[in-house]
Amino acid sequence: MQPYAEMIKSVKDYIRLPFVYEHWYVAGTGDEFTNKPVSKTLLNRSLVFYRTSGGDVAAMQNRCLHRSFPLSEGFLEGDNLVCRYHGIRYTPDGNIARIPCQSQTSDKKLRTYPTKELGPYVFIWMGDPDNVGPFPEMGHLADPNYRTIHDFMTLEGNYLLLMENLNDLTHFAYLHKETFPFDDAFMDLPTEVKVIDGRVWCERVDTTETARSFVPPSFIQASEGKYVERRDGGMTLTPGIFLGNAPIIVGEEGDPDRRAFNQRIAHYVTPETETTSHYWWSMSLDFEQDNDPFFEVMKPHLGKGFDEDKWAIQHMQKLLDNDKIEFDEMIIAGDQAGLLFRRVMLKWVQAEYGDAPAELEPA
């Protein structure tokens, strides 16, 4: 296998980078997890989830330590998970509480995974449970001043293809030309791309008439004749979380009525396998809080746009898997943010695996 630094030079090799586990990912929405065990495959690992009587989400490897029977087929006895094959009981922290056919237990333990619930989502730390890293800043998900809509889709594609897509603003005018009001002029907007604290940040600023089409319905009349600015951008927080920021600002600086309407558009892309991914998205707004019809229209509208991203990624994955013609990949000016993301991914991979390719993924 070639060195990791060489792999980020072409998309075909880039999506072969190994998974990085020492990060937070989304495991699902809170309503998916109850007192009935459920399995999910995340980063090639089969995990079992359930809620304890205290409401916490327990997450552990979905394989009985005895004969590899899936624990998601078991049931709860209090807060303990019972294997349906031989009745071995596991506590929420992975310890063995009872082995029915013998009086002694065992010091063997299931691998467990820390979880954190915020807003509609359950996040999971996929790395060392004794060395949990800082949680990404997404306080808006629990902020009562924001109203959040969200949805989910499965993606038949590598998660890095979508993460690079999210860092790339230049596809808006073409991939989304029938959904969002962008055209070629969007390509000429002032753009800034840089790395902040080891994460890619990008932003485009629109002060044209197109920006006015994003003014909230309840403020359209008040915005007439005023300066309007819309910012499109965001930051990659982890290998699988991109937090978009698209505020609409009405009024010049110094205007006492100047107001910013904040939009946090987040994408949570958790790899299932090398070619399949779980994809959640959310939009949190601090305006139009009581305008139910507005949110009812917004959700399918956004869903249509994000489905176009899914459509593009699945087409690319299919060609990358099946087309055997070699080609010299072209780089264009609009790739700046995506290429920076590849370099950030390289640093995350090297931090976990070292500079040389690893032959085995971490246990």
Side-chain angles (χ1 to χ4, degrees):
M1 187 175 177
Q2 69 204 98
Y4 295 136
E6 292 296 315
M7 294 175 70
I8 66 170
K9 294 181 180 180
S10 76
V11 67
K12 189 167 186 176
D13 292 331
Y14 158 68
I15 62 174
R16 292 171 53 240
L17 285 172
F19 294 143
V20 282
Y21 294 85
E22 300 292 319
H23 292 273
W24 287 95
Y25 293 86
V26 165
T29 52
D31 56 6
E32 293 182 66
F33 306 113
T34 66
N35 61 357
K36 179 177 173 55
V38 62
S39 67
K40 282 178 176 279
T41 298
L42 308 179
L43 287 72
N44 276 337
R45 295 180 177 178
S46 180
L47 307 182
V48 60
F49 298 83
Y50 67 92
R51 282 193 188 273
T52 66
S53 57
D56 296 326
V57 177
M60 61 186 74
Q61 65 189 81
N62 185 30
R63 178 190 284 191
C64 181
L65 294 171
H66 175 229
R67 285 292 182 266
S68 295
F69 189 80
L71 293 171
S72 56
E73 297 299 325
F75 57 92
L76 293 187
E77 184 179 80
D79 282 346
N80 293 340
L81 180 55
V82 183
C83 179
R84 189 64 176 269
Y85 199 12
H86 293 97
I88 298 174
R89 270 74 165 168
Y90 295 93
T91 66
D93 58 4
N95 289 311
I96 295 176
R98 183 187 173 206
I99 303 175
C101 66
Q102 61 188 50
S103 58
Q104 72 270 30
T105 58
S106 170
D107 59 0
K108 289 185 178 296
K109 184 178 180 179
L110 287 175
R111 172 72 181 269
T112 59
Y113 296 81
T115 63
K116 178 180 177 63
E117 202 156 359
L118 182 66
Y121 297 107
V122 173
F123 295 82
I124 185 169
W125 175 259
M126 292 296 294
D128 182 352
D130 295 323
N131 188 32
V132 177
F135 190 78
E137 177 53 50
M138 291 183 290
H140 62 279
L141 288 174
D143 189 335
N145 294 313
Y146 282 83
R147 179 170 174 177
T148 297
I149 53 177
H150 60 92
D151 211 345
F152 168 79
M153 62 184 76
T154 56
L155 176 67
E156 298 295 325
N158 183 281
Y159 80 114
L160 290 177
L161 291 175
L162 185 52
M163 291 302 295
E164 188 165 296
N165 164 280
L166 296 169
N167 281 275
D168 164 30
L169 302 180
T170 61
H171 72 276
F172 282 19
Y174 289 90
L175 184 59
H176 302 305
K177 67 185 182 69
E178 297 177 357
T179 306
F180 302 134
F182 298 111
D183 55 26
D184 269 15
F186 182 77
M187 304 293 190
D188 299 323
L189 296 176
T191 305
E192 189 171 4
V193 178
K194 58 186 176 182
V195 174
I196 302 175
D197 296 328
R199 298 163 176 171
V200 180
W201 177 86
C202 56
E203 184 177 71
R204 286 182 182 236
V205 181
D206 185 2
T207 59
T208 69
E209 282 302 305
T210 300
R212 293 188 175 277
S213 63
F214 292 95
V215 173
S218 62
F219 210 75
I220 290 176
Q221 186 173 354
S223 70
E224 289 183 5
K226 288 183 174 288
Y227 169 86
V228 176
E229 171 184 301
R230 184 178 191 272
R231 295 176 176 267
D232 270 296
M235 177 177 280
T236 301
L237 302 182
T238 75
I241 301 175
F242 179 88
L243 178 58
N245 187 37
I248 303 139
I249 301 168
V250 179
E252 296 273 8
E253 288 189 26
D255 183 340
D257 296 321
R258 178 181 169 92
R259 181 173 174 185
F261 300 91
N262 294 299
Q263 304 180 100
R264 306 277 194 228
I265 309 165
H267 304 265
Y268 319 89
V269 193
T270 303
E272 179 183 44
T273 68
E274 284 79 6
T275 57
T276 59
S277 307
H278 307 281
Y279 175 29
W280 295 266
W281 63 263
S282 67
M283 173 178 261
S284 303
L285 310 178
D286 69 353
F287 55 89
E288 301 292 340
Q289 298 294 293
D290 300 320
N291 190 346
D292 291 339
F294 173 76
F295 281 89
E296 289 170 4
V297 171
M298 181 66 73
K299 184 172 181 177
H301 180 64
L302 287 172
K304 180 183 177 184
F306 300 147
D307 197 56
E308 290 166 347
D309 292 310
K310 170 184 171 179
W311 172 82
I313 297 312
Q314 292 184 166
H315 274 299
M316 288 189 285
Q317 184 70 60
K318 187 175 181 179
L319 277 177
L320 288 166
D321 286 343
N322 300 313
D323 183 31
K324 304 305 180 183
I325 298 177
E326 294 298 322
F327 67 99
D328 185 13
E329 188 171 291
M330 180 172 61
I331 301 299
I332 62 174
D335 293 332
Q336 183 182 2
L339 293 179
L340 273 179
F341 175 69
R342 290 189 191 184
R343 293 174 190 168
V344 169
M345 273 300 306
L346 173 62
K347 290 182 178 180
W348 282 330
V349 168
Q350 290 175 326
E352 190 157 320
Y353 292 87
D355 291 330
E359 294 184 5
L360 297 173
E361 70 173 39

